[in-house]
PDB file of all heavy atoms in Angstrom:
ATOM      1  N   ARG A 338     -16.659 -13.046   1.139  1.00 96.00           N
ATOM      2  CA  ARG A 338     -17.398 -12.706   2.359  1.00 96.00           C
ATOM      3  C   ARG A 338     -18.247 -11.488   2.110  1.00 96.00           C
ATOM      4  O   ARG A 338     -17.766 -10.489   1.499  1.00 96.00           O
ATOM      5  CB  ARG A 338     -16.500 -12.430   3.553  1.00 96.00           C
ATOM      6  CG  ARG A 338     -15.458 -13.530   3.885  1.00 96.00           C
ATOM      7  CD  ARG A 338     -16.048 -14.864   4.236  1.00 96.00           C
ATOM      8  NE  ARG A 338     -15.275 -15.746   5.022  1.00 96.00           N
ATOM      9  CZ  ARG A 338     -14.252 -16.454   4.616  1.00 96.00           C
ATOM     10  NH1 ARG A 338     -13.826 -16.401   3.349  1.00 96.00           N
ATOM     11  NH2 ARG A 338     -13.615 -17.289   5.452  1.00 96.00           N
ATOM     12  N   SER A 339     -19.485 -11.479   2.537  1.00 95.00           N
ATOM     13  CA  SER A 339     -20.391 -10.324   2.393  1.00 95.00           C
ATOM     14  C   SER A 339     -20.586  -9.532   3.661  1.00 95.00           C
ATOM     15  O   SER A 339     -21.381  -8.617   3.671  1.00 95.00           O
ATOM     16  CB  SER A 339     -21.746 -10.777   1.858  1.00 95.00           C
ATOM     17  OG  SER A 339     -22.383 -11.651   2.741  1.00 95.00           O
ATOM     18  N   SER A 340     -19.846  -9.867   4.695  1.00 94.00           N
ATOM     19  CA  SER A 340     -19.828  -9.135   5.954  1.00 94.00           C
ATOM     20  C   SER A 340     -18.465  -9.260   6.566  1.00 94.00           C
ATOM     21  O   SER A 340     -17.692 -10.163   6.237  1.00 94.00           O
ATOM     22  CB  SER A 340     -20.922  -9.602   6.894  1.00 94.00           C
ATOM     23  OG  SER A 340     -20.749 -11.005   7.177  1.00 94.00           O
ATOM     24  N   PRO A 341     -18.085  -8.368   7.467  1.00 95.00           N
ATOM     25  CA  PRO A 341     -16.723  -8.341   8.036  1.00 95.00           C
ATOM     26  C   PRO A 341     -16.383  -9.637   8.783  1.00 95.00           C
ATOM     27  O   PRO A 341     -17.240 -10.112   9.588  1.00 95.00           O
ATOM     28  CB  PRO A 341     -16.738  -7.147   8.955  1.00 95.00           C
ATOM     29  CG  PRO A 341     -17.782  -6.227   8.405  1.00 95.00           C
ATOM     30  CD  PRO A 341     -18.884  -7.173   7.892  1.00 95.00           C
ATOM     31  N   VAL A 342     -15.216 -10.136   8.545  1.00 96.00           N
ATOM     32  CA  VAL A 342     -14.661 -11.341   9.229  1.00 96.00           C
ATOM     33  C   VAL A 342     -13.333 -10.938   9.851  1.00 96.00           C
ATOM     34  O   VAL A 342     -12.445 -10.343   9.164  1.00 96.00           O
ATOM     35  CB  VAL A 342     -14.491 -12.507   8.273  1.00 96.00           C
ATOM     36  CG1 VAL A 342     -13.972 -13.708   9.014  1.00 96.00           C
ATOM     37  CG2 VAL A 342     -15.791 -12.865   7.628  1.00 96.00           C
ATOM     38  N   GLN A 343     -13.123 -11.281  11.067  1.00 97.00           N
ATOM     39  CA  GLN A 343     -11.877 -10.916  11.793  1.00 97.00           C
ATOM     40  C   GLN A 343     -10.711 -11.758  11.260  1.00 97.00           C
ATOM     41  O   GLN A 343     -10.805 -12.925  11.062  1.00 97.00           O
ATOM     42  CB  GLN A 343     -11.990 -11.079  13.299  1.00 97.00           C
ATOM     43  CG  GLN A 343     -10.776 -10.555  14.077  1.00 97.00           C
ATOM     44  CD  GLN A 343     -10.986 -10.590  15.566  1.00 97.00           C
ATOM     45  OE1 GLN A 343     -12.135 -10.656  16.032  1.00 97.00           O
ATOM     46  NE2 GLN A 343      -9.903 -10.519  16.312  1.00 97.00           N
ATOM     47  N   VAL A 344      -9.566 -11.057  11.063  1.00 96.00           N
ATOM     48  CA  VAL A 344      -8.324 -11.743  10.605  1.00 96.00           C
ATOM     49  C   VAL A 344      -7.409 -11.989  11.880  1.00 96.00           C
ATOM     50  O   VAL A 344      -6.857 -11.017  12.393  1.00 96.00           O
ATOM     51  CB  VAL A 344      -7.605 -10.902   9.575  1.00 96.00           C
ATOM     52  CG1 VAL A 344      -6.319 -11.554   9.133  1.00 96.00           C
ATOM     53  CG2 VAL A 344      -8.502 -10.601   8.377  1.00 96.00           C
ATOM     54  N   GLY A 345      -7.302 -13.156  12.263  1.00 93.00           N
ATOM     55  CA  GLY A 345      -6.495 -13.495  13.377  1.00 93.00           C
ATOM     56  C   GLY A 345      -6.929 -12.854  14.704  1.00 93.00           C
ATOM     57  O   GLY A 345      -8.057 -12.381  14.821  1.00 93.00           O
ATOM     58  N   THR A 346      -6.025 -12.753  15.630  1.00 94.00           N
ATOM     59  CA  THR A 346      -6.337 -12.166  16.944  1.00 94.00           C
ATOM     60  C   THR A 346      -5.426 -11.051  17.352  1.00 94.00           C
ATOM     61  O   THR A 346      -5.535 -10.466  18.439  1.00 94.00           O
ATOM     62  CB  THR A 346      -6.299 -13.239  18.036  1.00 94.00           C
ATOM     63  OG1 THR A 346      -4.982 -13.839  18.093  1.00 94.00           O
ATOM     64  CG2 THR A 346      -7.332 -14.336  17.768  1.00 94.00           C
ATOM     65  N   SER A 347      -4.456 -10.682  16.471  1.00 95.00           N
ATOM     66  CA  SER A 347      -3.487  -9.620  16.789  1.00 95.00           C
ATOM     67  C   SER A 347      -4.142  -8.271  16.744  1.00 95.00           C
ATOM     68  O   SER A 347      -5.270  -8.117  16.350  1.00 95.00           O
ATOM     69  CB  SER A 347      -2.327  -9.649  15.786  1.00 95.00           C
ATOM     70  OG  SER A 347      -1.584 -10.853  15.899  1.00 95.00           O
ATOM     71  N   SER A 348      -3.387  -7.231  17.218  1.00 97.00           N
ATOM     72  CA  SER A 348      -3.858  -5.849  17.170  1.00 97.00           C
ATOM     73  C   SER A 348      -3.083  -5.123  16.086  1.00 97.00           C
ATOM     74  O   SER A 348      -1.886  -5.297  15.977  1.00 97.00           O
ATOM     75  CB  SER A 348      -3.634  -5.168  18.528  1.00 97.00           C
ATOM     76  OG  SER A 348      -4.437  -5.831  19.524  1.00 97.00           O
ATOM     77  N   TRP A 349      -3.776  -4.262  15.370  1.00 97.00           N
ATOM     78  CA  TRP A 349      -3.207  -3.625  14.161  1.00 97.00           C
ATOM     79  C   TRP A 349      -3.403  -2.100  14.211  1.00 97.00           C
ATOM     80  O   TRP A 349      -4.358  -1.625  14.830  1.00 97.00           O
ATOM     81  CB  TRP A 349      -3.790  -4.198  12.905  1.00 97.00           C
ATOM     82  CG  TRP A 349      -3.736  -5.663  12.845  1.00 97.00           C
ATOM     83  CD1 TRP A 349      -4.554  -6.596  13.447  1.00 97.00           C
ATOM     84  CD2 TRP A 349      -2.731  -6.485  12.193  1.00 97.00           C
ATOM     85  NE1 TRP A 349      -4.136  -7.871  13.185  1.00 97.00           N
ATOM     86  CE2 TRP A 349      -3.034  -7.818  12.431  1.00 97.00           C
ATOM     87  CE3 TRP A 349      -1.595  -6.114  11.402  1.00 97.00           C
ATOM     88  CZ2 TRP A 349      -2.266  -8.829  11.899  1.00 97.00           C
ATOM     89  CZ3 TRP A 349      -0.817  -7.148  10.901  1.00 97.00           C
ATOM     90  CH2 TRP A 349      -1.125  -8.510  11.126  1.00 97.00           C
ATOM     91  N   THR A 350      -2.540  -1.333  13.555  1.00 96.00           N
ATOM     92  CA  THR A 350      -2.625   0.098  13.463  1.00 96.00           C
ATOM     93  C   THR A 350      -2.896   0.669  12.086  1.00 96.00           C
ATOM     94  O   THR A 350      -3.537   1.701  11.934  1.00 96.00           O
ATOM     95  CB  THR A 350      -1.425   0.784  14.067  1.00 96.00           C
ATOM     96  OG1 THR A 350      -0.274   0.423  13.296  1.00 96.00           O
ATOM     97  CG2 THR A 350      -1.191   0.386  15.482  1.00 96.00           C
ATOM     98  N   GLN A 351      -2.388  -0.029  11.057  1.00 94.00           N
ATOM     99  CA  GLN A 351      -2.568   0.461   9.701  1.00 94.00           C
ATOM    100  C   GLN A 351      -2.869  -0.701   8.749  1.00 94.00           C
ATOM    101  O   GLN A 351      -2.350  -1.834   8.956  1.00 94.00           O
ATOM    102  CB  GLN A 351      -1.273   1.159   9.190  1.00 94.00           C
ATOM    103  CG  GLN A 351      -0.956   2.422   9.957  1.00 94.00           C
ATOM    104  CD  GLN A 351       0.414   3.042   9.407  1.00 94.00           C
ATOM    105  OE1 GLN A 351       0.650   2.985   8.206  1.00 94.00           O
ATOM    106  NE2 GLN A 351       1.192   3.567  10.331  1.00 94.00           N
ATOM    107  N   ILE A 352      -3.617  -0.395   7.724  1.00 92.00           N
ATOM    108  CA  ILE A 352      -4.027  -1.431   6.696  1.00 92.00           C
ATOM    109  C   ILE A 352      -4.160  -0.743   5.364  1.00 92.00           C
ATOM    110  O   ILE A 352      -4.674   0.379   5.286  1.00 92.00           O
ATOM    111  CB  ILE A 352      -5.356  -2.154   7.078  1.00 92.00           C
ATOM    112  CG1 ILE A 352      -5.793  -3.077   5.960  1.00 92.00           C
ATOM    113  CG2 ILE A 352      -6.436  -1.175   7.446  1.00 92.00           C
ATOM    114  CD1 ILE A 352      -4.850  -4.201   5.652  1.00 92.00           C
TER     115      ILE A 352
END
Side-chain angles (χ1 to χ4, degrees):
R338 306 301 204 283
S339 61
S340 59
V342 180
Q343 186 172 343
V344 179
T346 59
S347 296
S348 296
W349 307 83
T350 61
Q351 296 178 37
I352 173 66

